Amino acid sequence: MEVFVVGGSSLSHPTTPISVHNYSSSSTPPLSPSLFPNKNNNNNNRRRRLPSAWTKTKSPKLASKGGAFLSPSRRAAIIELQEASDLASSLSRLEGTIQAQGLNIVLRHFGELRRWKDVIQLFDWMQKHGKVNVASYSSFIKYMGKSLNPMKALEVYNGIQDDSIRRNVSVCNSILGCMIKNGKFESSIKLFDQMKKDGLTPDVVTYSTLLSGCIKVKDGFSKATRLIRELESNGLEMDSVIYGTVLAICASHKLCEEAEMYFQKMKDRGCSPNLFHYSSLLNAYSVDGNQMKADELIEDMKSAGLLPNKVILTTLLKVYVRGGLFEKSRKLLAELQALGHAEDEMPYCLLMDGLAKEGHISEAKAIFDEMKAKGVKSDGYSYSIMISAYCRSELLEEAKQLAKDYEDNYDKYDLVMLNTLLRAYCNTGEMENVMEMLKKMDKLAISPDWNTFHILVKYFCKEKYYQLAYRTVEDMHNKGHPLDEELCSSLILQLAHVGESLKAFSVYNMLRYSKRNLSNSLHERMLKILVSAKHLKEAYVVMKDNAELISGSSLAKFMMSFMKLGNINMINDVVKAFHSSGHRVGAKWVYLPRIGRIRDDGFSVTKQFKVTLMDMGDGHSEKPESRFKPKAGPHNSLTFSPPLSFWKEVFCLAVTRYVSLPEKKELLLHLLQWMSGQGYILDSTSRNLLLKNSRMFGQHLIAEAISKQFAASKNLRIQGTKR
DNA sequence: TTAGGGTTAG
């Protein structure tokens, strides 16, 4: 199919190297510059006491700053390097003039200007010429973290030979921060443990760095608690920065009470909260839309002399929206507009999303239109919210129209936007547009994520492109995304329905691999599919691993089919596996026995009584199936093995197969021997069949095997009656 | 003399 080529190539786009790109690709569009430009107004204990000249200018021309302590020739060298059009030749010309200290100034200059190539080139040169010190390492590693190049940072860190540099606290903090910025929290914790073993003495900055990684990780709060405990046991104290981070951790993990607790603790310790601390706590209140507490907090903030700024008011809007207070929200939005704080789409997005999620979709659209009419520029968020809202409400045409509108007017795509558009086009069955989105993803080197795959598989299933759906699931699995059970179960059924049972089995296996707790019924469904498609070898695998989760009747059908049609070389294995699975679990073989009927059985039944030999005597009046009963519930404790008549039939079929293939004599004798060992004996029909054909197998051997069976059964019977 | 932070949207 034509489609396949495009979709296939798109999705099998080579994965980008570990971690580095994966994080960058999921990043949101660039945000507006800091809303708190005058950071130094925070009266909290700033770590660095920089000369006032350093803090005033944020000019990249650092030569003027560090240059105060440098000789004129070195100052000139720094300026020349900063402005060099050919860095390499300037470096070789100035080699004798400039040392590590001056070069570090140039390195930081390039770093602040995000001239990553120059940073790397300069640092390489510095290393080659032995002009590096601790400061060079920590700055360089920091910038590699900022440029999303943690691999380079690690390469340099691992290459440090001098132990005193390797365990220098700045260098360590730098590499830990670099890894955390790039989403490698777990690895950074491991590295931190190793560093401590190697002699690092962590300081407040180390803990603050590690704590910042807890904001976005699962279970971040308990990880943070551990770090704080360690910090305190090392005699260190939490500072304003650390409180800010911890409050953000509480908010991102929806832990409102914990946030309040830390906020109070901070005040009690004489540390006055700044706007960041207030906004984190406010954000925690937005979790359950606690408007009362939010309003109180704003008052508290005002009386502490802090004016609510744009972010605080926007966060307050979030509290109102989450609390379902839409009228109050509208008023606050008007206030934001009046203050000039509604020039980007964020407050509109908050309100729209809240309205849409409460089902007020046309009111959400009205906000969207108002925003557009006001000429507020969009980074795609508002479109994404509206398109998703339409999709959720099954207003598919509207979703598609808005998607097209976005595409016609914007040329900005990230993964979320692409997924949103993809979903809109998939829902309306716009194949051309779907393919267009996939091409775009390819072109922009944006790797598909779980959502992308999920949208596509669902779409392909709906359109009955089962092969494509299958290939996409395979791709998804190979890229390490967990599979969705519901979607895969339906694909399994559909594949089976179009005669692709082996592909269905493959999906089943991928699903089993990626998901621990599958619903019990899936195994049975898979077994049924494979049995009816006569893929008995595969069915055997399903049976062997999941016998306890499959109903007796399905197992029985499988066994009968295998005995009749399965690979003759595997018959004994299947019988044994079935026997031992009954032994092992038997949980689904619920049988309400009439004890008088059953004498000995070979399986453990309950703790109260145990029977040891089954009587294969003829004359069972019940049909095999009638004695398989579904599990009645946890209190119906008589879990049981298959009834005797079932085994009778199994052995009869097995013997019939062997009789038809005398060259499998060894296997037949092996089965008979095994049966004796387990206390199973043949019924009269099978016995007669065997005796009739015993010539082919060697009369002597058959007679011997049958008499052994009798002997075994007698012994066991005697034991049974003694008990 | 180099290392840390926290607030709002899909």
Side-chain angles (χ1 to χ4, degrees):
Chain A
M1 193 187 310
E2 216 179 332
V3 166
F4 188 72
V5 181
V6 184
S9 83
S10 193
L11 291 169
S12 54
H13 191 276
T15 26
T16 34
I18 277 188
S19 77
V20 185
H21 188 75
N22 294 344
Y23 294 96
S24 66
S25 65
S26 61
S27 66
T28 48
L31 300 176
S32 49
S34 170
L35 302 168
F36 294 90
N38 50 345
K39 280 185 171 185
N40 296 316
N41 284 352
N42 301 338
N43 54 0
N44 297 304
N45 33 348
R46 300 281 306 166
R47 179 182 46 90
R48 277 171 289 181
R49 305 239 155 69
L50 300 175
S52 58
W54 284 41
T55 52
K56 268 183 194 159
T57 27
K58 186 77 183 159
S59 150
K61 298 209 168 175
L62 295 174
S64 59
K65 303 168 192 170
F69 311 104
L70 293 165
S71 70
S73 63
R74 286 183 183 167
R75 279 180 66 114
I78 289 168
I79 290 169
E80 181 179 343
L81 286 172
Q82 288 180 349
E83 288 165 5
S85 55
D86 181 354
L87 188 59
S89 67
S90 297
L91 280 168
S92 65
R93 193 167 48 253
L94 295 164
E95 195 185 334
T97 321
I98 195 162
Q99 299 308 316
Q101 201 188 359
L103 289 162
N104 287 344
I105 294 171
V106 183
L107 192 71
R108 293 196 298 272
H109 170 82
F110 290 153
E112 291 308 312
L113 294 176
R114 309 178 70 87
R115 286 167 56 178
W116 310 130
K117 266 173 81 178
D118 292 332
V119 170
I120 292 173
Q121 193 189 347
L122 174 60
F123 185 78
D124 279 348
W125 187 91
M126 287 164 68
Q127 271 195 313
K128 232 175 253 158
H129 293 80
K131 290 174 191 275
V132 279
N133 58 20
V134 168
S136 329
Y137 280 109
S138 51
S139 294
F140 177 73
I141 291 169
K142 176 179 83 172
Y143 291 124
M144 287 306 98
K146 274 195 175 172
S147 66
L148 307 180
N149 192 356
M151 290 326 221
K152 180 73 186 163
L154 271 173
E155 183 193 310
V156 166
Y157 179 74
N158 289 329
I160 298 174
Q161 301 295 324
D162 184 336
D163 278 348
S164 70
I165 297 180
R166 265 178 80 86
R167 59 164 177 258
N168 172 281
V169 70
S170 286
V171 175
C172 289
N173 291 346
S174 208
I175 188 75
L176 292 172
C178 162
M179 289 168 77
I180 282 176
K181 259 198 193 78
N182 287 278
K184 311 239 113 221
F185 179 77
E186 294 299 333
S187 325
S188 73
I189 291 289
K190 275 189 199 138
L191 182 59
F192 175 56
D193 289 334
Q194 187 55 47
M195 284 168 166
K196 283 185 287 188
K197 280 185 199 145
D198 293 345
L200 164 74
T201 311
D203 63 6
V204 182
V205 177
T206 319
Y207 288 104
S208 154
T209 306
L210 294 171
L211 281 166
S212 73
C214 296
I215 296 171
K216 281 179 198 151
V217 297
K218 205 181 138 228
D219 230 6
F221 183 74
S222 61
K223 284 170 180 153
T225 313
R226 275 199 292 277
L227 285 167
I228 291 168
R229 224 177 284 143
E230 189 181 316
L231 168 153
E232 285 172 339
S233 75
N234 284 349
L236 300 167
E237 265 190 26
M238 289 177 73
D239 63 11
S240 168
V241 172
I242 293 196
Y243 276 114
T245 313
V246 172
L247 286 170
I249 295 167
C250 294
S252 68
H253 291 87
K254 304 184 191 296
L255 298 169
C256 193
E257 284 176 17
E258 285 78 357
E260 278 181 330
M261 188 269 284
Y262 274 108
F263 193 78
Q264 193 53 46
K265 209 164 151 185
M266 174 183 169
K267 280 176 149 180
D268 294 344
R269 289 193 182 173
C271 197
S272 38
N274 63 22
L275 285 172
F276 289 96
H277 300 110
Y278 276 103
S279 71
S280 283
L281 183 55
L282 202 54
N283 197 25
Y285 289 147
S286 77
V287 169
D288 52 359
N290 198 332
Q291 170 245 328
M292 291 259 287
K293 284 195 169 175
D295 286 342
E296 264 173 41
L297 190 69
I298 298 283
E299 287 313 309
D300 178 47
M301 196 182 105
K302 283 180 183 162
S303 59
L306 293 169
L307 276 182
N309 64 0
K310 175 171 151 181
V311 177
I312 294 281
L313 292 175
T314 311
T315 311
L316 184 62
L317 178 66
K318 184 174 155 185
V319 177
Y320 291 168
V321 168
R322 292 279 162 87
L325 305 162
F326 294 121
E327 274 321 303
K328 233 170 142 57
S329 302
R330 267 183 246 269
K331 274 188 198 143
L332 185 54
L333 178 61
E335 207 179 314
L336 279 157
Q337 286 166 339
L339 289 164
H341 287 162
E343 274 154 11
D344 63 48
E345 59 182 339
M346 202 186 289
Y348 299 95
C349 286
L350 282 168
L351 184 50
M352 275 164 50
D353 196 40
L355 286 167
K357 282 183 180 152
E358 284 294 311
H360 308 305
I361 196 144
S362 57
E363 292 171 46
K365 181 61 169 33
I367 299 285
F368 179 80
D369 292 338
E370 181 192 332
M371 189 193 95
K372 280 184 82 180
K374 286 201 154 75
V376 173
K377 71 168 175 46
S378 171
D379 277 326
Y381 288 87
S382 51
Y383 276 91
S384 164
I385 289 166
M386 275 318 297
I387 295 168
S388 303
Y390 280 140
C391 285
R392 273 199 306 273
S393 314
E394 308 261 314
L395 294 166
L396 304 179
E397 276 307 311
E398 286 83 346
K400 189 184 80 186
Q401 280 313 316
L402 214 50
K404 287 202 165 130
D405 181 21
Y406 180 79
E407 289 211 75
D408 291 343
N409 293 293
Y410 298 86
D411 192 28
K412 195 169 174 181
Y413 297 91
D414 64 6
L415 183 58
V416 179
M417 196 67 220
L418 283 166
N419 283 345
T420 307
L421 298 173
L422 199 60
R423 188 179 285 120
Y425 295 138
C426 282
N427 284 343
T428 41
E430 308 275 314
M431 181 59 120
E432 249 179 61
N433 289 319
V434 168
M435 291 308 147
E436 206 48 50
M437 287 303 104
L438 292 179
K439 272 192 221 157
K440 214 158 246 172
M441 208 175 254
D442 227 15
K443 201 175 128 202
L444 298 168
I446 293 176
S447 318
D449 69 349
W450 185 90
N451 292 305
T452 321
F453 284 110
H454 191 81
I455 294 164
L456 287 172
V457 174
K458 217 168 139 186
Y459 169 63
F460 292 145
C461 281
K462 188 184 83 184
E463 300 290 338
K464 299 192 165 51
Y465 298 141
Y466 300 128
Q467 302 293 340
L468 260 176
Y470 172 71
R471 289 279 296 267
T472 313
V473 165
E474 225 178 11
D475 206 4
M476 185 172 184
H477 178 68
N478 290 338
K479 295 218 164 81
H481 296 292
L483 302 181
D484 178 71
E485 183 173 346
E486 201 188 325
L487 192 52
C488 284
S489 303
S490 114
L491 179 59
I492 286 171
L493 289 183
Q494 287 165 324
L495 282 168
H497 192 67
V498 295
E500 292 279 13
S501 304
L502 285 179
K503 283 193 173 132
F505 183 55
S506 165
V507 173
Y508 164 82
N509 280 325
M510 290 187 267
L511 189 57
R512 275 189 63 185
Y513 179 89
S514 84
K515 205 166 173 270
R516 249 181 227 160
N517 301 313
L518 291 182
S519 80
N520 294 348
S521 61
L522 186 65
H523 305 291
E524 178 155 3
R525 231 177 301 153
M526 193 67 242
L527 183 73
K528 282 181 176 167
I529 288 169
L530 291 168
V531 168
S532 67
K534 301 195 173 58
H535 293 303
L536 298 169
K537 201 172 82 190
E538 289 76 12
Y540 171 41
V541 174
V542 177
M543 180 283 270
K544 208 165 67 174
D545 295 345
N546 307 286
E548 73 275 19
L549 303 171
I550 297 172
S551 76
S553 63
S554 295
L555 286 174
K557 270 181 200 145
F558 159 74
M559 285 298 279
M560 298 310 165
S561 301
F562 202 99
M563 293 304 115
K564 282 182 209 156
L565 304 161
N567 182 337
I568 194 164
N569 295 317
M570 291 171 69
I571 281 184
N572 291 356
D573 294 335
V574 171
V575 168
K576 285 186 204 169
F578 188 75
H579 165 83
S580 54
S581 74
H583 242 323
R584 199 174 58 238
V585 265
K588 284 280 165 152
W589 294 92
V590 173
Y591 175 60
L592 306 171
R594 276 171 282 169
I595 293 167
R597 275 275 177 105
I598 297 187
R599 292 211 298 271
D600 286 332
D601 170 88
F603 292 88
S604 154
V605 181
T606 64
K607 283 177 186 160
Q608 288 85 32
F609 79 102
K610 190 173 175 161
V611 281
T612 45
L613 176 73
M614 72 179 213
D615 184 353
M616 294 294 290
D618 308 337
H620 268 301
S621 56
E622 288 155 299
K623 289 177 194 164
E625 295 280 285
S626 70
R627 300 182 69 176
F628 291 83
K629 297 255 171 73
K631 193 176 179 182
H635 300 299
N636 188 354
S637 61
L638 282 187
T639 59
F640 204 57
S641 56
L644 315 182
S645 47
F646 165 81
W647 281 112
K648 177 176 134 183
E649 206 169 334
V650 166
F651 292 130
C652 189
L653 286 167
V655 167
T656 312
R657 285 290 295 282
Y658 285 131
V659 164
S660 69
L661 264 183
E663 63 265 37
K664 298 293 174 187
K665 182 177 82 178
E666 290 305 320
L667 289 174
L668 169 65
L669 291 172
H670 182 92
L671 178 66
L672 293 173
Q673 201 181 5
W674 176 84
M675 285 173 67
S676 303
Q678 300 298 330
Y680 291 117
I681 56 170
L682 286 177
D683 73 310
S684 56
T685 320
S686 309
R687 218 156 44 220
N688 291 339
L689 181 67
L690 211 49
L691 289 169
K692 216 161 70 188
N693 292 278
S694 62
R695 249 197 189 151
M696 291 190 285
F697 300 97
Q699 281 168 322
H700 174 66
L701 286 171
I702 292 296
E704 198 181 4
I706 289 177
S707 75
K708 266 187 192 163
Q709 284 204 342
F710 266 115
S713 73
K714 269 185 187 158
N715 280 339
L716 289 165
R717 239 173 241 183
I718 292 162
Q719 278 178 18
T721 45
K722 268 184 187 167
R723 204 171 289 148

